[in-house]
Amino acid sequence: MGAVVVAVLGLGLVDSLISNPEYRWQTVGEYLFDPRVISGVGWTLLLTAGAMLIGIALALTIAIMRMGTNPILRGVAWVYIWFFRGTPVYTQLVFWGLITILYRRITVGIPFTNVTFFSVDSEMIFTALVAALLGLGLNEGAYLSEIVRAGLNSVDKGQWEAATALGMKRGTVLRRIIIPQAMRVIVPPTGNETISMLKTTSLVLAVPFMLELTFVTNAIGNLTFLPVPLLIVAAIWYLFITSILMVGQRYLEAYYGRGFDGEKPSGRRMRGMSRRQQAILAAGTVQADPNLDVTP
């Protein structure tokens, strides 16, 4: 009975979308591949990719700082996360948009002295694109750092002990042993954050950055007095890009999830491992990847 109700409601929704002339599907088709819209899609993808790269680099750094033993570095990491998670991203974008007013020139020198190494007009550095990327990337880094920290903490501490016993340095252990296994936990929420970032780029109007998809379609809609069809155009592009990202996320999850299904490596797989990998596996601490090189 429930399936019948859902089917009827679904058919009713489809019928309303097709039969209601106010959606103006002809206009949607006319502007779907408009050069201005395509350009907006490109800028949106650039903002998404750039902000996520900044966020991931910061997240790895901040997560490692929080897990370290240096109290100063741990304190700095905690303050960073506290501030950027505690303030709205729109407010942060507005701030970055006003940075050239707050700081007319960027000067590098020795504090509290007249010694200056170089000075440059801030408008030459903080363009609208740079401000948008910094605002999005710094905010995203705070959220991703907690995801990375959770992933690193999910790896059994015995991994560190076994790898250290084999003479591996801390950096090598992180890069070759811990992070590859933590990716199984890190990838799913990072994929969600990437999809969320795709839509968060619509807030860069606060900078102001006026080339991304939402602003462009809204501008065309206001110009033609047809806001609904242009909103549908933007929605279609967002759904298309999101679908591609979801497929990519699925394959990444499958890739990094190998070896965590409880199966023991076959004899052929064991023969493909280095002695160090076999030793760590024998210690019961790593479900190793045969392609993983753990040589320090």
Side-chain angles (χ1 to χ4, degrees):
M1 183 63 182
V4 174
V5 173
V6 172
V8 171
L9 291 174
L11 289 173
L13 176 61
V14 172
D15 178 65
S16 70
L17 291 174
I18 295 175
S19 61
N20 190 337
E22 297 303 322
Y23 285 108
R24 300 179 184 270
W25 292 104
Q26 183 177 356
T27 304
V28 172
E30 178 183 349
Y31 285 99
L32 188 61
F33 296 102
D34 185 280
R36 292 168 292 180
V37 173
I38 299 298
S39 176
V41 171
W43 283 109
T44 297
L45 291 174
L46 176 63
L47 287 170
T48 302
M52 289 304 298
L53 286 175
I54 294 172
I56 290 172
L58 285 171
L60 285 170
T61 303
I62 296 299
I64 293 172
M65 286 170 63
R66 285 204 69 186
M67 295 177 64
T69 57
N70 189 308
I72 296 177
L73 294 181
R74 293 180 65 179
V76 170
W78 185 88
V79 170
Y80 170 84
I81 294 171
W82 167 77
F83 179 81
F84 284 100
R85 288 176 65 189
T87 54
V89 62
Y90 187 86
T91 302
Q92 296 172 31
L93 288 169
V94 171
F95 172 83
W96 284 107
L98 297 174
I99 192 71
T100 55
I101 297 176
L102 295 171
Y103 300 96
R104 301 288 183 179
R105 297 190 66 82
I106 305 298
T107 302
V108 176
I110 300 176
F112 306 110
T113 69
N114 293 325
V115 178
T116 300
F117 298 126
F118 72 87
S119 180
V120 64
D121 190 340
S122 61
E123 290 184 354
M124 296 180 61
I125 299 177
F126 293 105
T127 62
L129 177 60
V130 171
L133 286 172
L134 285 175
L136 295 173
L138 289 171
N139 181 79
E140 188 61 32
Y143 289 92
L144 286 178
S145 66
E146 292 297 275
I147 293 173
V148 172
R149 187 168 67 92
L152 296 177
N153 285 334
S154 70
V155 180
D156 191 275
K157 292 183 179 180
Q159 306 275 359
W160 284 97
E161 297 172 359
T164 302
L166 292 172
M168 298 176 67
K169 298 179 180 179
R170 179 181 174 84
T172 305
V173 176
L174 271 172
R175 189 173 66 255
R176 305 284 180 86
I177 301 295
I178 304 301
I179 292 179
Q181 294 179 78
M183 291 297 288
R184 176 178 63 98
V185 176
I186 294 172
V187 166
T190 301
N192 292 336
E193 287 294 316
T194 303
I195 293 172
S196 177
M197 177 58 68
L198 176 71
K199 295 171 287 185
T200 304
T201 56
S202 62
L203 298 178
V204 295
L205 171 63
V207 170
F209 184 84
M210 298 175 288
L211 298 176
E212 56 83 33
L213 179 59
T214 297
F215 184 89
V216 169
T217 52
N218 283 341
I220 297 174
N222 293 334
L223 186 65
T224 59
F225 300 101
L226 296 172
V228 172
L230 271 299
L231 287 174
I232 294 174
V233 168
I236 290 173
W237 276 109
Y238 280 121
L239 287 170
F240 175 72
I241 299 170
T242 298
S243 300
I244 295 176
L245 291 175
M246 290 175 66
V247 172
Q249 177 183 339
R250 177 185 175 186
Y251 280 104
L252 279 176
E253 288 182 19
Y255 177 80
Y256 285 107
R258 296 178 306 167
F260 289 91
D261 53 6
E263 292 185 13
K264 293 183 177 180
S266 62
R268 180 180 179 183
R269 186 178 178 186
M270 286 288 289
R271 288 192 296 273
M273 298 181 185
S274 68
R275 290 184 178 179
R276 287 181 179 271
Q277 289 174 311
Q278 293 182 24
I280 297 174
L281 183 64
T285 58
V286 173
Q287 292 172 315
D289 184 338
N291 298 318
L292 183 64
D293 181 10
V294 296
T295 304

